[in-house]
């Protein structure tokens, strides 16, 4: 295949549509549909790994769509009513197939590259300071999966030249992605319908909700074997002219599947890992964040140091001694791993991540005195009860009542309840205030903190 033929294919055939559809559908979905890919610490333009994983989440829709486009493109010989003429031409079948396949693959690569580049420019121009290379295999395997779907669709369309073939291919690929889908509800993503090993045959990944989590090298290698075999089968089907050749075309896919099943991990812990370089602590004094959030350290240090000093003035030796970013993976709804010597910072909490100045100081003091066992993230929400207690105790430590802000379902009720609790707590003797604050902290660390009973007693 020479460049002139390739240019003609790109100008006069439907090949460019493969790339246009991927770029348009991908960007349209990310910008037109609200979701966790915006407004959270793992939004698709916040970090490099998040960018790669969110583009792979789109494969729930893009993978079947690209396979259908390939099947439609593979029907062109039949639609032109000249398959017999082309079959009798002296040129080898693989050379005839290389032109449309190469043009479509080039267009698809450009479309997916545009999608990734659009996000990469925003990540590079944003506050992210951690730039790993581990996101590149995630995107590279994703591109390979799209090319495999395209070639397999083209080969299927040529082997089964029927108007029903493209929609059938879309349905089969869509059913496969649904059946093999992983979810992010457990500590590490896995499937609830098929064994974890089989779920990795889908290029789509679960929605990322923990910014430090990434795929392992074994997943990249195993999926590369599988998609290379699928792509080779598609190309052989595209060039096959006899029934025996079509049967032997399945050999690469079967071989790729066998190799993939030998390499792919059988458990979620083998498939996902906390990126050690991203999670390594970066500290200034007693305040530590991960290397991924190094850019937040300067804003956290002053208020973190003030919070530790204020807590020590009230609790003495029982006060926490450090501020540290939370890194332990959790299942949705699972209790956080609390440490009495540590004030945990969770940047995946949208209210904590956006807190500044006095609000950040009060939230740190509140987490030191009444840490919430329930996390507040884009996927799960903690009750206002913990913030009510934190508001009261932070006001007690700082000597001035002020509410900790929250996106409450009922702001007026939250404001009034907190004010009533503060009035009752402020009326207590100083020794009794300290005793109740210690009682609340002990209960909170055991994940046994009620609404506000241990702080202000039963309402009269």
């Amino acid at each position: 295949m020479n460049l002139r033929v390739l240019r003609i294919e790109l100008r006069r055939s439907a090949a460019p549509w493969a790339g246009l559809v991927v770029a348009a559908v991908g960007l349209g979905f990310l910008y037109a549909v609200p979701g966790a890919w915006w407004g959270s610490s793992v939004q698709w333009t916040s970090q490099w790994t998040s960018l790669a994983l969110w583009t792979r989440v789109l494969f729930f829709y893009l993978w079947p769509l690209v396979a259908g486009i390939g099947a439609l493109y593979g029907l062109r010989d039949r639609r032109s009513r000249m398959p017999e003429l082309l079959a009798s031409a002296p040129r080898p079948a693989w050379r005839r197939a290389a032109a449309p396949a190469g043009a479509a693959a080039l267009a698809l690569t450009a479309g997916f590259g545009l999608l990734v580049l659009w996000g990469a420019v925003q990540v590079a121009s944003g506050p992210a300071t951690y730039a790993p290379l581990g996101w590149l295999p995630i995107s590279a395997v994703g591109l390979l999966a799209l090319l495999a779907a395209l070639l397999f669709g083209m080969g299927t369309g040529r082997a089964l030249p029927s108007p029903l073939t493209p929609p059938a291919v879309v349905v089969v690929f869509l059913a496969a992605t649904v059946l093999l889908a992983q979810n992010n509800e457990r500590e590490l993503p896995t499937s609830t319908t098929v064994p974890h090993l089989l779920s990795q045959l889908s290029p789509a990944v679960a929605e990322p909700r923990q910014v430090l989590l990434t795929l392992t090298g074994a997943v990249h290698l195993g999926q590369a074997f599988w998609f290379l075999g699928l792509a080779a089968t598609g190309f052989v089907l595209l060039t096959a002219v006899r029934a025996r050749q079509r049967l032997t075309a399945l050999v690469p896919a079967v071989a790729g599947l066998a190799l993939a099943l030998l390499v792919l991990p059988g458990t979620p812990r083998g498939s996902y890992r906390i990126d050690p370089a991203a999670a390594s602590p970066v500290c200034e004094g007693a305040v530590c964040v991960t290397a991924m959030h190094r850019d937040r350290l300067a804003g956290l240090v002053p208020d973190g140091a003030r919070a530790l000093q204020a807590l020590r003035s009230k609790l003495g030796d029982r006060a926490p001694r450090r501020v540290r970013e939370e890194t332990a993976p959790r299942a949705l709804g699972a209790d956080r791993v609390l440490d009495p010597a540590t004030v945990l910072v969770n940047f995946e909490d949208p209210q904590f991540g956006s807190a500044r100045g006095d609000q950040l100081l009060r939230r740190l003091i509140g987490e030191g005195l009444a840490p919430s066992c329930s996390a507040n993230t884009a996927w799960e929400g903690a009750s206002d009860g913990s913030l009510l207690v934190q508001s009261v105790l932070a006001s007690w430590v700082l000597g001035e009542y002020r509410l900790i802000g929250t996106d409450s379902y009922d702001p007026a009720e939250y404001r009034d309840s907190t004010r009533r609790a503060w009035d009752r707590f402020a009326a207590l003797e100083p020794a009794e205030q300290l005793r109740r604050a210690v009682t609340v902290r002990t209960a909170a660390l055991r994940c046994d903190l009620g609404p506000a009973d241990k702080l202000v007693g039963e309402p009269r």
Side-chain angles (χ1 to χ4, degrees):
M1 180 180 65
N2 56 42
L3 292 178
R4 178 173 175 273
V5 174
L6 183 61
R7 286 197 300 268
I8 293 173
E9 284 284 343
L10 289 172
R11 280 202 318 268
R12 300 183 181 180
S13 74
W17 282 102
L20 290 173
V21 166
V22 167
V25 172
L27 290 173
F29 185 90
L30 289 169
Y31 281 91
V33 180
W37 44 92
W38 292 113
S40 71
S41 66
V42 288
Q43 67 183 31
W44 83 291
T45 56
S46 63
Q47 299 287 346
W48 294 102
T49 303
S50 300
L51 161 67
L53 290 174
W54 276 116
T55 52
R56 289 282 294 270
V57 171
L58 295 177
F59 283 29
F60 279 108
Y61 317 102
L62 293 180
W63 206 47
L65 192 59
V66 167
I69 292 173
L72 186 64
Y73 196 34
L75 294 177
R76 72 175 193 167
D77 289 354
R78 182 61 176 259
R79 292 198 308 269
S80 64
R81 300 179 181 179
M82 50 187 298
E84 293 84 2
L85 176 62
L86 293 175
S88 64
R91 294 181 64 194
W94 70 267
R95 293 189 64 183
R96 293 198 308 271
L106 184 61
L108 181 62
T109 301
F112 183 68
L114 177 62
L115 175 64
V116 174
L117 180 62
W118 182 271
V121 169
Q122 296 179 76
V123 175
S125 60
T129 56
Y130 179 68
L133 297 179
W135 71 278
L136 291 173
I138 301 175
S139 294
V141 172
L143 175 59
L144 180 59
L146 290 179
L147 293 174
L150 177 74
L151 290 174
F152 187 83
M154 292 179 67
T156 305
R158 193 176 189 284
L160 303 172
S162 167
L164 298 178
T165 299
V169 168
V170 172
V171 170
V172 169
F173 272 68
L174 182 60
T177 57
V178 172
L179 179 65
L180 302 176
Q182 297 182 354
N183 65 67
N184 64 1
E185 296 179 0
R186 300 184 182 180
E187 181 180 330
L188 297 174
T190 189
S191 173
T192 57
T193 56
V194 299
H196 179 77
L197 178 64
L198 296 181
S199 70
Q200 297 166 97
L201 297 177
S202 169
V205 299
E207 292 187 2
R209 62 178 179 85
Q210 295 168 319
V211 72
L212 298 173
L213 210 60
T214 187
L215 294 169
T216 62
V219 176
H220 302 322
L221 182 61
Q223 290 186 339
F225 282 139
W226 163 232
F227 296 131
L228 282 172
L230 196 63
T233 289
F235 189 77
V236 175
L237 284 174
L238 192 60
T239 61
V241 293
R242 296 181 178 86
R244 177 178 292 183
Q245 291 175 323
R246 295 189 180 98
L247 287 176
T248 57
L250 298 176
V251 172
V254 173
L257 177 61
L259 288 173
L261 294 178
L262 289 174
V263 173
L264 289 171
T267 63
R269 289 195 177 277
S271 301
Y272 292 88
R273 65 185 178 93
I274 294 292
D275 185 342
S280 61
V282 178
C283 301
E284 186 172 328
V287 181
C288 297
V289 297
T290 62
M292 179 169 283
H293 289 136
R294 183 192 300 267
D295 58 296
R296 293 179 177 264
L297 183 61
L300 184 63
V301 166
D303 292 307
R306 286 184 60 196
L308 292 176
Q309 183 179 7
L311 288 168
R312 186 171 181 81
S313 69
K314 288 291 187 179
L315 299 179
D317 292 339
R318 293 171 294 188
R321 297 185 295 275
R322 57 182 177 270
V323 176
R324 177 178 61 82
E325 181 181 350
E326 188 173 359
T327 59
R330 294 178 305 100
L332 281 178
D335 290 340
R336 301 166 67 196
V337 180
L338 302 178
D339 178 6
T342 303
V343 177
L344 286 180
V345 174
N346 184 7
F347 290 125
E348 293 175 11
D349 181 339
Q351 297 170 38
F352 202 115
S354 60
R356 298 291 185 274
D358 182 72
Q359 282 291 301
L360 177 58
L361 175 62
R362 289 175 181 271
R363 188 65 189 273
L364 289 169
I365 293 174
E367 285 291 333
L369 284 169
S372 173
C373 280
S374 300
N376 182 34
T377 67
W379 290 267
E380 55 193 338
S383 68
D384 292 336
S386 60
L387 283 182
L388 183 156
V389 175
Q390 289 184 8
S391 292
V392 172
L393 291 179
S395 299
W396 167 64
V397 170
L398 295 175
E400 178 188 7
Y401 173 73
R402 192 168 296 174
L403 199 67
I404 294 178
T406 177
D407 295 330
S408 174
Y409 291 110
D410 191 345
E413 175 61 24
Y414 168 65
R415 184 175 58 251
D416 295 342
S417 298
T418 307
R419 184 72 212 198
R420 289 194 298 269
W422 165 251
D423 290 340
R424 293 169 63 188
F425 183 80
L428 299 172
E429 294 295 327
E432 179 64 13
Q433 291 176 342
L434 176 60
R435 187 190 70 79
R436 294 200 181 187
V438 172
T439 300
V440 164
R441 184 166 187 263
T442 302
L445 290 170
R446 293 198 311 262
C447 294
D448 188 31
L449 180 62
D453 300 343
K454 293 182 176 65
L455 179 64
V456 297
E458 295 290 343
R460 298 172 184 174

